[in-house]
Amino acid sequence: MTGSGTTDDALGFDGIPLAELCGETAVVPPGGVGGPAVPPEGSMPMGPARRMARHVQRAHASVLEAHRAISARQALLAGAGMFPGPRDEPGARARPDGPFAVLRVAAARLPDAAAPCVYEVSWRGQVPADPTELHARLAGSGAGGPRCLVLDGDRRLVASIVRSVPDLPEREPARRHVPDIPAEFRPLARTAVHRLSARGLDALAAGDIAGVFGDAYDQGGLEPESLPERWPARLLEDISVIEPGGGPYGQGLLVACTGAARGTSPVWPRLAAATAEALRVYAFHQGLHLCLPGARVVPSADRPMRIEMLDPAATDASALRFTVEVTGLGLAPRPYVTADCEVTAAGRTVARLRDAGVTVRERPGADVTPHPGRTGCRRSASGGRVVADELHIARMAEGDQAEVFAAYGARPTATPTRPRLPRGDLRTVDRCTRIGAGLPPDRAGSRLTAEYDVPADPWYCRESGLAGVPPFALMEMALQPLGLLGGLSGTAWEYPGQDFVCRNLDGRATLLREVDLRAMTVGQDVVLRSSVPLPGAVIQRCDFELSTGGAAFCVGEATHGYFTAEVLRAQQGLDGGRYVAPWLERRPGRLAGALRPDPRHGPRVGTGRLALLDDVVVVPGGGDHGAGYVWCDKPVRDDDWFFDQHFAHDPVLPGSVGVQMLFQAVQACAVHTGLVDHLPSPRFSLAVGEELRWSYRGQILRHHRRVRGEAHLREVHREHDRLLVLADGSVWRDDLRIYQVDNIALAVRSGAGREAAR
């Protein structure tokens, strides 16, 4: 039976070469079949023991699936024609597609129409994988048209389908709003496979996910019931394009084909099922299943799916092409993919689907909450099982933390404003691999080890104006695990009846070596050194270490606090509430030699989200040390990107953004005062071995007006091909000085040789 083979990995599936199995982009051995395998990017080599365990696991799962399929088929036959069985085509398995069966049951009751029409499908609850008691009934015709309700048994509503006949224009409708800065979803696993043949699709359906996409998707060692649920009969012939981050919404693009729908009437259930199949492939391609035991894909029930049938008769004429534009992709409350789809036949648009969506869920009854001393089904970068995975981390940022971490002592609170991790593109924690609790009452010695997968082309590197990872990102990588440790050690659940949030107070960090973090996994190790309770607050001090491949590249310490809203409102900045003017403001009249470069023109020190300099004044030879001075200013807008990312129910400008602003100001000063004129194509980066120090005594919220900063160059060390610039700076929120940043250290080298090498 197709899908049951356990042949050697180099031969692919049932002896089929990987090139045929997965499409042209599959990774094949350099010496051909039987040669040494080259694993896909981001995967780990698979040893003989692990390979054999995976084969045994697959064989066991195949036997169980065969029994389930036979039982399901017998139940269907006993149903005396409740709905047709799956198409008899190559690659089809006996188990029906539950959602497809639901739509076919509804189609049998709704009046058919050869003219253009619209079907609106609203899913309710979870659709059973092997439906055997489906029945449909008409619920009358409303303003929209006839409505059909599909039930599982006599009580549970599965779907509501309405057919209407509005005036459908043939031209493409206007696309939904695309954000100025689309979210950049980070997949849970990386693969070099971006197209799939029919055999590749069959292999995925049979459960050979790692055999198709690579070892990063391997789930060897799991019990068979914790492996992904087998997929139903295949409708797609191939998927020629799988483009993560593609499409008009920047979330993904797929192009797939099926044969002509000859003899299928009505055809709209088939179109909906084929679109869902493409989304299921994309969900697994992005690794969304890796956090869930017994992962199964079900229709999303958060909004109705609209199926516009523009030319039903044309679907009989030729093969159908599905262009799937992913509109949404995320992890919480469960992993999901949403999309719009255009279906064409012979180049003519015959149907459109809007708000098609699938959700990845665990097998019924499975416990997906983390527990002390218990690991989940997710694998870490080193191959071990993790304590808290990407789903838990996302839900800590977005959802009910007490529900997620109840086993760690979390308890319900009266307010959603609690210490959380940042959201979306700002979050720099992916998994927790170890939690060690210290002894009460202060729990000193508590330890947390986490991981963060850096994208191959992270947005903060593209937009920072620095070579390598900018200080903003390094600080977030170091400090965010502190908040996770506070949640898991119980601190975040103090003061359950009040708003209670986490703020960084002080810190220091040293870059130990130059490192290119792109496409690397960063290890994050945090140790709690002390915890002091105060009225309305808890103050903690932690050490942190960032590493790659087990070798540290950044170390430091930080003090952070958990505060009630009343304590935060009492903050008076760094100067006891007094106004201390910037150096430039204390100099009356126009300073000789002062420059006012336009940050929007000439050398750019930051773009996009990290374009943090709106107005700049540079004074050569100015400042407290006479080595140079720079002042900068930026208005606060209530729609600034970081307010929605940091944090849910607690929007605040991250302190790391203020630090990044000062680094950019120092960079602008070096450029516009001629300090780097002797270096061709100067490249700025963080200086190795220099300790950055910061203190925060205030926060910047949506209602504040301006962020101002200044930096005093303290030392400039010149060498033939290198420059080291050291500076100190401050940040003001309106008229209150709230950040002090010392030893801002930038290394500058010539980039001419690097550019030529490219």
Side-chain angles (χ1 to χ4, degrees):
M1 179 173 64
T2 301
S4 62
T6 56
T7 55
D8 187 79
D9 286 351
L11 294 178
F13 185 80
D14 275 351
I16 302 168
L18 281 176
E20 292 184 28
L21 180 68
C22 304
E24 294 179 5
T25 59
V27 177
V28 296
V33 175
V38 178
E41 177 186 2
S43 65
M44 299 187 310
M46 179 178 289
R50 191 167 150 206
R51 183 183 295 113
M52 179 168 289
R54 197 178 84 185
H55 289 167
V56 172
Q57 186 183 66
R58 286 186 206 152
H60 186 191
S62 296
V63 172
L64 292 178
E65 180 60 25
H67 284 293
R68 285 197 293 266
I70 292 170
S71 299
R73 187 60 175 171
Q74 289 172 339
L76 286 174
L77 294 175
M82 284 189 293
F83 53 85
R87 277 181 39 187
D88 184 15
E89 60 183 2
R93 276 155 297 284
R95 188 173 69 79
D97 182 353
F100 192 9
V102 170
L103 297 183
R104 287 181 296 187
V105 168
R109 296 299 305 271
L110 287 169
D112 195 6
C117 60
V118 172
Y119 297 89
E120 188 174 273
V121 181
S122 299
W123 297 99
R124 307 292 176 87
Q126 294 190 41
V127 180
D130 299 319
T132 58
E133 299 182 36
L134 292 177
H135 66 92
R137 61 182 177 85
L138 293 179
S141 296
R147 177 185 298 273
C148 180
L149 303 179
V150 182
L151 296 92
D152 178 27
D154 294 328
R155 293 174 299 278
R156 194 161 73 98
L157 180 64
V158 177
S160 170
I161 299 97
V162 177
R163 185 179 73 81
S164 57
V165 188
D167 182 18
L168 285 172
E170 292 195 12
R171 62 179 178 81
E172 181 179 358
R175 284 195 168 96
R176 65 189 73 223
H177 173 69
V178 180
D180 293 336
I181 306 174
E184 297 186 15
F185 184 80
R186 291 182 294 107
L188 277 62
R190 298 171 181 144
T191 179
V193 177
H194 298 298
R195 59 182 300 171
L196 290 167
S197 66
R199 288 173 176 170
L201 291 170
D202 285 341
L204 289 178
D208 193 12
I209 315 299
V212 175
F213 288 143
D215 287 349
Y217 298 74
D218 178 60
Q219 294 187 288
L222 290 182
E223 300 80 4
E225 62 270 19
S226 292
L227 294 173
E229 181 183 79
R230 299 301 177 91
W231 296 3
R234 169 175 56 81
L235 294 174
L236 299 177
E237 300 297 335
D238 65 74
I239 301 181
S240 58
V241 174
I242 306 176
E243 184 182 346
Y249 306 101
Q251 304 301 295
L253 176 70
L254 296 93
V255 178
C257 290
T258 70
R262 295 184 180 90
T264 303
S265 180
V267 73
W268 63 270
R270 178 180 170 85
L271 302 186
T275 302
E277 183 177 330
L279 295 182
R280 179 170 57 226
V281 169
Y282 192 62
F284 274 66
H285 185 276
Q286 297 294 287
L288 301 187
H289 62 291
L290 293 172
C291 294
L292 294 166
R296 57 191 296 256
V297 176
V298 299
S300 296
D302 55 343
R303 69 180 70 179
M305 174 178 60
R306 178 182 172 92
I307 307 169
E308 300 177 357
M309 297 300 301
L310 304 177
D311 190 353
T315 58
D316 276 345
S318 61
L320 301 179
R321 176 185 173 95
F322 293 73
T323 301
V324 182
E325 299 173 347
V326 179
T327 58
L329 186 64
L331 292 172
R334 288 294 187 275
Y336 65 89
V337 186
T338 60
D340 293 340
C341 177
E342 181 180 62
V343 185
T344 57
R348 175 181 173 82
T349 301
V350 297
R352 297 190 189 101
L353 292 85
R354 289 181 65 84
D355 294 319
V358 299
T359 299
V360 188
R361 301 196 65 91
E362 67 277 11
R363 72 174 184 271
D367 183 4
V368 295
T369 59
H371 290 264
R374 189 185 76 180
T375 57
C377 62
R378 179 69 166 121
R379 193 186 298 279
S380 70
S382 60
R385 300 293 174 186
V386 305
V387 177
D389 55 39
E390 288 90 339
L391 175 60
H392 302 133
I393 300 300
R395 292 182 66 193
M396 182 176 182
E398 306 277 356
D400 186 347
Q401 300 166 299
E403 176 185 319
V404 178
F405 295 113
Y408 285 87
R411 55 186 185 272
T413 59
T415 168
T417 305
R418 311 302 299 170
R420 295 177 183 271
L421 290 172
R423 312 164 76 187
D425 294 342
L426 192 53
R427 188 166 60 246
T428 56
V429 180
D430 285 331
R431 299 171 294 277
C432 179
T433 59
R434 182 177 62 167
I435 301 171
L439 296 176
D442 61 0
R443 303 215 177 263
S446 294
R447 187 172 198 136
L448 179 143
T449 304
E451 294 180 338
Y452 167 59
D453 296 329
V454 181
D457 184 25
W459 67 269
Y460 43 76
C461 289
R462 297 195 309 268
E463 300 178 7
S464 74
L466 294 176
V469 177
F472 154 76
L474 280 179
M475 292 177 70
E476 292 298 324
M477 292 179 203
L479 298 179
Q480 288 185 23
L482 275 62
L484 182 58
L485 178 60
L488 294 177
S489 64
T491 307
W493 313 109
E494 301 291 335
Y495 307 95
Q498 303 180 56
D499 290 344
F500 192 56
V501 299
C502 182
R503 295 289 186 269
N504 184 225
L505 297 175
D506 302 284
R508 57 184 65 209
T510 303
L511 186 65
L512 302 179
R513 57 187 174 92
E514 291 186 354
V515 58
D516 185 357
L517 296 180
R518 290 172 297 183
M520 300 286 287
T521 295
V522 173
Q524 301 158 298
D525 197 74
V526 179
V527 180
L528 177 64
R529 295 306 184 192
S530 65
S531 182
V532 180
L534 299 171
V538 178
I539 307 299
Q540 296 187 335
R541 184 176 67 83
C542 293
D543 293 342
F544 62 78
E545 177 183 288
L546 302 178
S547 61
T548 56
F553 68 86
C554 182
V555 297
E557 65 177 47
T559 302
H560 64 286
Y562 295 89
F563 302 99
T564 61
E566 292 76 12
V567 171
L568 277 183
R569 283 195 292 267
Q571 284 184 310
Q572 296 184 325
L574 291 164
D575 305 301
R578 296 180 297 109
Y579 176 60
V580 175
W583 181 89
L584 183 65
E585 195 174 301
R586 302 196 304 268
R587 299 300 182 273
R590 182 176 178 83
L591 291 172
L595 308 171
R596 202 174 198 114
D598 187 345
R600 295 168 297 182
H601 299 91
R604 301 296 301 272
V605 297
T607 60
R609 284 159 282 192
L610 296 183
L612 303 175
L613 305 182
D614 218 54
D615 193 9
V616 179
V617 175
V618 174
V619 183
D624 289 345
H625 311 289
Y629 172 86
V630 58
W631 172 92
C632 57
D633 178 51
K634 181 187 182 302
V636 177
R637 298 174 38 171
D638 62 5
D639 62 348
D640 278 329
W641 66 274
F642 38 74
F643 286 131
D644 286 335
Q645 302 274 308
H646 190 259
F647 304 98
H649 309 289
D650 178 27
V652 62
L653 182 146
S656 57
V657 170
V659 175
Q660 181 76 24
M661 181 182 188
L662 293 182
F663 269 86
Q664 291 185 356
V666 172
Q667 184 178 350
C669 185
V671 169
H672 292 290
T673 57
L675 288 178
V676 297
D677 286 353
H678 65 292
L679 297 173
S681 303
R683 299 175 76 253
F684 291 79
S685 61
L686 298 182
V688 173
E690 297 289 339
E691 183 182 76
L692 175 70
R693 300 179 294 276
W694 64 89
S695 294
Y696 304 149
R697 293 298 183 271
Q699 56 183 345
I700 300 170
L701 306 176
R702 292 183 192 271
H703 67 270
H704 292 123
R705 301 187 306 276
R706 308 200 71 78
V707 181
R708 298 185 294 164
E710 71 172 8
H712 304 261
L713 271 62
R714 190 177 72 249
E715 299 177 46
V716 178
H717 300 280
R718 293 180 175 85
E719 298 178 5
H720 173 66
D721 61 348
R722 183 177 182 269
L723 190 75
L724 177 64
V725 181
L726 304 176
D728 304 322
S730 296
V731 171
W732 281 257
R733 178 199 73 200
D734 297 335
D735 291 333
L736 191 66
R737 191 170 72 98
I738 59 172
Y739 300 169
Q740 173 71 35
V741 184
D742 294 328
N743 207 39
I744 301 166
L746 279 173
V748 195
R749 295 183 177 85
S750 171
R754 298 171 186 261
E755 295 298 328
R758 291 177 185 171

